[in-house]
Amino acid sequence: MYEQEIEDAKRVVEEFLEQAKLKVGNLVVIGCSTSEIAAYDIGSYSNEELGEVVFVAMYETFKKAGISVATQCCEHLNRALIMEDSVAKRFGYEEVNVMPQLKAGGSFSTAAWKHMENPVAVEQIQAHAGIDIGDTLIGMHLKPVAVPVRIQHPVIGSAHIVCARTRAKYIGGERAQYREELE
């Protein structure tokens, strides 16, 4: 069950990694509506098993690439994020006291809490890149200059996917020169 969604999730991450210009240790935020994956309106059909299989497929693929992951909870937890404690400490994010559950945090973040080694919740981050599954609005958790990443197959199940990476701000004027590796 959910073989297609697992395949879609892995493919999305692989296509994203090919284009996103990420470095080992970078942080990616993922927002996911299992309702949208299952062809329902966002927030109307939380599915624990679907959240779990999609999370594991994506998390393991990012982990193999050396990329850290934070999952965005739903609005009932004010879009808090779940991540490994070691990652939160590395980036200087302060832990807050909440645990996601199916109807307060969402299926995907509940799966993250279950499968991460030492999960914590934080209120806000500035990720290097992000994947939005089902229009969950992850932009508030990206660094200031976000750039779209167009993947070839932008769906998981019935959910629309939007991807972004960030880049360093351009400063200066017409005489300024920029480093290509930061674009």
Side-chain angles (χ1 to χ4, degrees):
M1 194 165 181
Y2 300 123
E3 290 84 11
Q4 186 61 52
E5 290 83 356
I6 293 167
E7 186 179 315
D8 288 348
K10 289 178 182 177
R11 187 198 63 248
V12 163
V13 174
E14 289 164 358
E15 288 181 21
F16 179 70
L17 286 170
E18 288 174 14
Q19 297 182 51
K21 301 181 182 181
L22 296 174
K23 298 175 185 165
V24 170
N26 279 171
L27 178 59
V28 171
V29 60
I30 304 171
C32 177
S33 169
T34 56
S35 300
E36 292 282 333
I37 291 172
Y40 292 90
D41 290 338
I42 193 168
S44 67
Y45 184 75
S46 296
N47 184 315
E48 188 172 7
E49 186 179 0
L50 182 56
E52 194 163 327
V53 298
V54 172
F55 170 76
V56 169
M58 296 182 86
Y59 187 67
E60 292 301 322
T61 306
F62 274 120
K63 200 172 182 179
K64 287 178 188 170
I67 305 298
S68 299
V69 170
T71 66
Q72 178 182 273
C73 295
C74 70
E75 72 274 12
H76 297 101
L77 293 187
N78 298 327
R79 307 248 188 256
L81 301 121
I82 306 304
M83 62 193 339
E84 291 284 3
D85 181 56
S86 60
V87 175
K89 286 179 175 151
R90 180 165 39 101
F91 286 104
Y93 299 134
E94 183 179 346
E95 180 180 359
V96 294
N97 190 4
V98 71
M99 292 173 25
Q101 55 183 328
L102 200 56
K103 295 289 187 181
S107 307
F108 195 77
S109 287
T110 300
W113 191 270
K114 179 179 177 181
H115 288 278
M116 288 181 173
E117 286 182 34
N118 190 17
V120 297
V122 301
E123 274 191 289
Q124 58 190 8
I125 63 171
Q126 285 202 324
H128 300 96
I131 297 177
D132 187 319
I133 305 164
D135 303 317
T136 61
L137 304 176
I138 61 164
M140 68 187 84
H141 296 302
L142 293 172
K143 289 179 177 263
V145 184
V147 178
V149 173
R150 305 277 187 225
I151 60 174
Q152 190 172 13
H153 301 95
V155 293
I156 297 177
S158 294
H160 175 249
I161 308 292
V162 175
C163 300
R165 66 176 179 86
T166 61
R167 65 162 174 78
K169 295 177 184 179
Y170 293 145
I171 63 167
E174 63 185 45
R175 295 182 187 185
Q177 292 185 348
Y178 302 109
R179 296 170 40 205
E180 281 186 32
E181 67 271 15
L182 294 181
E183 291 184 355

